[in-house]
Amino acid sequence: MHSIRTNDLLTVENLKTYFYTPEGILKAVDEVSFSLKEGECVCIVGESGSGKSTLALSILKLLDESARIEGRVAFNGKNLIELSEDEIRKIRGNEISMIFQNPQSSLNPVMRVGEQIVEQMINHKRMDKKEAKSKAIELLREMGIPDAEKRFGDFPHQLSGGMKQRVMIAMALSCNPKIIIADEPTSALDVTIQAQILDIFKRLKQKGISILFITHDFGIVSVIADRIVVMYAGRVMEKGTAVEILRNPEHPYTVGLLDCLPGTSEKDRLAYIPGTIPSLIEPPEGCVFSPRCRFRFDACSKTPPEYPVSDVHSVACFLFSNEVNG
Ligand code: ADP
Ligand code: MG
């Protein structure tokens, strides 16, 4: 048994993020709960449209006024949801930083990449410019950017996609955050570059940085996750340690996602889950996955609670209620 770290650094409790749209209330995140411990990587996984990005953006209050956020995001004894814009800005990019899928859109195209890292450090930390510059170069080097000193002066368009993502990670690290939230950070990259970037995340974990890693790709999850939260249509379907979920997935949705991985099933088939994510404005009654589920039965017209599978694994599915099983 490896040692169990029990100190939760970030706790998300009953988080709800609803968008008030002209068509109605869109429940993008609905009663989501999970926690992130020191030095671990929690992967949020689910198909496109499951509410993963909305969840990430809600944690740092990066959504516009059409979003109503309710619940608790506990960090350092505070509920981040209740913080004012000034207060949350001190945390963003400083104690908790975020990396997005497309580094191009997060970088200022007319500013040298090194200067952008320096600016971030000067904004959050009392640091003089010279000190910040040498730390920025050091970070670029650590991120595997060759000729870091020279690259410091490059503009974003002079760098490849992979190099830009390395710059973004360097920037995210510049203020020594406790947590990095990465939303599909490798999805726009070639497979080989993807593997290199995942290696960087593994190293960060070893340094004690906690990572909330968002992806639709269970292949990536299997490489990097310590714990997994499976989301579908704004809700948590299953969560637990990576070991348990990868070896013993219980929710029909998780099983379906894992079956989609090439090379995992006996016949190397590329399975798929028929159907698509429902409208989140008028989601199905009861279990949101039930319209696509081969195992649906009467009970599924109600919303399933989370049933424990073990003390480190739970599943929101009536197939696992004692009444049904016993
Ligand atoms: P994922 O990241 O898992 O693909 P998203 O969080 O991007 O999912 O989207 C979840 C749902 O919320 C989708 O139905 C999407 O259309 C909707 N959504 C996302 N952002 C907004 C917004 N700003 N306004 C209205 N609806 C949104
Ligand atoms: Mg997304």
Side-chain angles (χ1 to χ4, degrees):
M1 274 285 289
H2 53 86
S3 65
I4 296 168
R5 285 171 292 228
T6 49
N7 35 339
D8 289 340
L9 198 57
L10 185 85
T11 310
V12 173
E13 269 172 33
N14 288 323
L15 192 74
K16 294 183 194 180
T17 304
Y18 293 178
F19 292 108
Y20 284 69
T21 76
E23 290 76 36
I25 300 172
L26 189 152
K27 300 179 174 181
V29 173
D30 210 8
E31 294 194 31
V32 168
S33 302
F34 66 91
S35 62
L36 179 65
K37 296 180 205 303
E38 224 166 85
E40 76 169 355
C41 174
V42 170
C43 278
I44 310 281
V45 61
E47 285 165 287
S48 169
S50 299
K52 307 180 299 293
S53 294
T54 304
L55 170 64
L57 296 169
S58 302
I59 291 172
L60 286 175
K61 301 229 296 179
L62 284 166
L63 294 162
D64 62 61
E65 311 83 71
S66 76
R68 302 275 165 81
I69 311 175
E70 264 180 47
R72 238 164 76 85
V73 175
F75 176 71
N76 263 349
K78 294 177 202 131
N79 181 1
L80 300 188
I81 302 306
E82 288 168 354
L83 296 189
S84 67
E85 183 54 29
D86 275 351
E87 290 170 313
I88 192 86
R89 209 179 291 129
K90 286 184 199 137
I91 291 175
R92 246 187 244 146
N94 190 22
E95 292 178 275
I96 304 177
S97 47
M98 194 154 172
I99 298 166
F100 298 93
Q101 174 170 349
N102 186 354
Q104 185 72 54
S105 61
S106 315
L107 287 165
N108 181 342
V110 296
M111 193 173 172
R112 298 178 195 278
V113 293
E115 297 294 346
Q116 301 189 43
I117 302 175
V118 165
E119 188 177 63
Q120 170 100 351
M121 283 189 266
I122 291 174
N123 280 346
H124 284 294
K125 308 277 183 208
R126 281 214 186 98
M127 221 187 229
D128 72 75
K129 210 164 172 190
K130 210 168 142 217
E131 192 189 348
K133 181 171 178 178
S134 74
K135 183 168 179 199
I137 292 171
E138 181 60 35
L139 277 168
L140 291 174
R141 201 172 286 133
E142 270 176 40
M143 291 309 109
I145 296 183
D147 256 338
E149 215 143 323
K150 190 162 155 280
R151 291 305 193 178
F152 179 97
D154 278 356
F155 289 98
H157 74 266
Q158 292 173 279
L159 299 171
S160 67
M163 286 297 160
K164 277 193 280 244
Q165 200 55 295
R166 289 172 205 265
V167 168
M168 287 311 301
I169 301 173
M171 194 184 303
L173 288 171
S174 63
C175 298
N176 303 318
K178 297 194 176 67
I179 299 173
I180 291 189
I181 302 176
D183 188 358
E184 309 253 11
T186 63
S187 299
L189 306 173
D190 296 344
V191 190
T192 41
I193 308 294
Q194 208 173 75
Q196 293 168 8
I197 300 288
L198 288 180
D199 275 341
I200 294 179
F201 280 102
K202 280 194 233 166
R203 271 196 280 136
L204 299 184
K205 219 165 67 171
Q206 283 157 6
K207 286 186 175 176
I209 297 174
S210 306
I211 301 166
L212 187 62
F213 196 105
I214 292 171
T215 178
H216 65 276
D217 182 347
F218 245 117
I220 290 177
V221 173
S222 67
V223 170
I224 198 164
D226 296 305
R227 285 193 297 139
I228 299 173
V229 177
V230 182
M231 264 183 94
Y232 179 78
R235 289 186 165 267
V236 173
M237 299 290 108
E238 180 165 10
K239 64 189 170 193
T241 58
V243 173
E244 283 214 20
I245 293 199
L246 294 168
R247 284 203 198 135
N248 180 29
E250 297 282 21
H251 198 288
Y253 181 59
T254 316
V255 173
L257 283 182
L258 279 165
D259 273 350
C260 295
L261 273 183
T264 47
S265 51
E266 277 174 358
K267 285 174 237 132
D268 200 15
R269 79 204 142 134
L270 213 60
Y272 72 103
I273 309 167
T276 50
I277 286 201
S279 156
L280 302 184
I281 292 180
E282 276 166 48
E285 294 262 311
C287 171
V288 283
F289 185 64
S290 63
R292 293 172 76 183
C293 185
R294 300 187 265 165
F295 303 104
R296 79 176 158 263
F297 60 113
D298 297 346
C300 308
S301 59
K302 294 205 189 89
T303 300
E306 288 179 5
Y307 294 106
V309 176
S310 75
D311 54 357
V312 290
H313 185 180
S314 66
V315 59
C317 174
F318 285 114
L319 289 172
F320 301 91
S321 75
N322 282 330
E323 287 150 59
V324 174
N325 291 332

